[in-house]
Amino acid sequence: MNPPLEELKRRFAAFVAGFAKGSDQDLYNIRLKEQHSLRVLDQAQGITRACGFDLETAYLTHAAALFHDAGRFPQYAEYKTFSDADSENHARLGVRTLLRSDLLRGLSKKARRVIIGAVALHNVHRLPADLNPTLDKVTRVVRDSDKLDIIPVILEHLGGDRPLNPVVVLGLEDDAERYSPEILAQVMRRELAEYRLMRWANDFRLLLISWVYDLNHAWARRALLERGLLDRLFQGLPGDRAVSALRDQVNQDLKALIQGRTLA
Ligand SMILES: [Fe+2]
């Protein structure tokens, strides 16, 4: 019998407590990832309920959501950054962390395999096509849940009058009027924008907008629309013609996708 989710949450809290040390800024950053993990679990529960997952698959999904960023804690402890480019891939680090810690103690072999697989795949640019069906299902929910939660966090850090927290916005340059045209072009082509091309804070807004094309579940797309996240992302961008054209396209596409239509 797999331990109940409540037990996994207790273990996670104890695991995080082991990393909560250092300056106020360090504690803030650790807490940010802890709360993110719990909110990603919330989102995942919304999706599994809406999609009518069976109990076992729902359990695996919830555990994977809770643990998806386990690698963030050792990553920050060692490198003081959440930038994978400046440290190491936090998903792979997460897998190593799960294997070493007691977080998955007492779970069946199958459960461990699916959860570890979903953690490993939660941040890949494109999911492999031939995944085991359960792993595929679980991973897609974790990826949508992760995206839904991280958008407001980044928005909050991009929007204020305080200087950008370099750990959260990955050291981007803050200039209200500038963005990288190649990132805008990627989103216009309905592609997932690439982190490595980002230079300006506005590029991060564009990258988050490109997630419209990478969400897997109607529940998540609807949440993006209903929570006003897309509007807030566009509000931060300059109002030039290219951005307005993108805004029209993305809004139309999102509504079409929610209604289950395929994009032309
Ligand atoms: Fe992550």
Side-chain angles (χ1 to χ4, degrees):
M1 260 288 263
N2 291 319
L5 186 66
E6 284 311 311
E7 165 64 16
L8 301 187
K9 283 164 94 169
R10 275 193 294 275
R11 290 182 194 174
F12 182 68
F15 164 79
V16 172
F19 291 94
K21 48 186 148 217
S23 67
D24 285 356
Q25 188 65 51
D26 295 336
L27 293 173
Y28 176 88
N29 289 329
I30 291 292
R31 193 142 172 70
L32 195 72
K33 285 299 172 190
E34 179 182 28
Q35 291 172 337
H36 164 66
S37 302
L38 295 171
R39 287 191 312 254
V40 168
L41 169 59
D42 268 352
Q43 307 306 309
Q45 287 173 319
I47 299 176
T48 56
R49 212 173 299 132
C51 294
F53 277 29
D54 64 78
L55 277 181
E56 193 199 5
T57 312
Y59 172 82
L60 296 174
T61 307
H62 301 157
L66 177 64
F67 295 152
H68 80 283
D69 260 352
R72 288 301 191 187
F73 302 94
Q75 179 183 44
Y76 193 80
E78 185 161 351
Y79 305 100
K80 291 280 180 285
T81 181
F82 294 134
S83 163
D84 287 9
D86 296 328
S87 58
E88 60 181 302
N89 183 322
H90 75 278
R92 254 175 280 163
L93 189 53
V95 170
R96 292 210 304 277
T97 305
L98 286 176
L99 292 171
R100 273 190 218 143
S101 70
D102 72 337
L103 292 169
L104 297 181
R105 183 171 24 93
L107 274 77
S108 71
K109 229 187 203 162
K110 179 193 170 187
R112 295 169 66 101
R113 202 171 50 225
V114 171
I115 294 165
I116 286 171
V119 171
L121 291 167
H122 88 269
N123 69 340
V124 299
H125 194 67
R126 282 261 163 259
L127 277 186
D130 53 351
L131 289 179
N132 152 294
T134 305
L135 176 57
D136 185 85
K137 225 173 154 180
V138 168
T139 306
R140 285 178 191 279
V141 178
V142 173
R143 287 166 67 94
D144 280 13
S145 306
D146 193 15
K147 290 186 169 76
L148 270 185
D149 186 69
I150 210 73
I151 293 174
V153 174
I154 303 287
L155 270 171
E156 200 181 304
H157 284 88
L158 288 174
D161 358 290
R162 354 168 226 173
L164 297 180
N165 174 342
V167 173
V168 178
V169 301
L170 309 175
L172 297 170
E173 296 172 67
D174 198 9
D175 183 324
E177 293 307 315
R178 307 200 60 169
Y179 60 84
S180 302
E182 58 274 35
I183 295 198
L184 185 132
Q186 280 186 325
V187 191
M188 205 70 196
R189 290 197 301 270
R190 297 168 168 149
E191 291 169 9
L192 189 55
E194 290 172 79
Y195 280 95
R196 62 175 186 87
L197 297 178
M198 291 199 302
R199 171 165 178 204
W200 307 101
N202 281 330
D203 293 343
F204 214 159
R205 293 191 172 89
L206 289 167
L207 180 127
L208 299 182
I209 290 167
S210 81
W211 287 356
V212 164
Y213 298 111
D214 197 48
L215 290 174
N216 300 292
H217 301 89
W219 189 93
R221 295 197 194 97
R222 215 171 294 124
L224 196 66
L225 195 67
E226 285 169 2
R227 294 174 194 175
L229 297 173
L230 199 56
D231 283 339
R232 284 174 63 198
L233 285 167
F234 273 109
Q235 273 157 21
L237 287 166
D240 63 31
R241 222 188 291 158
V243 172
S244 305
L246 183 73
R247 184 179 198 146
D248 291 345
Q249 177 189 300
V250 170
N251 271 302
Q252 263 180 27
D253 286 351
L254 185 61
K255 282 174 195 146
L257 288 166
I258 288 172
Q259 290 165 5
R261 284 186 276 142
T262 43
L263 301 176

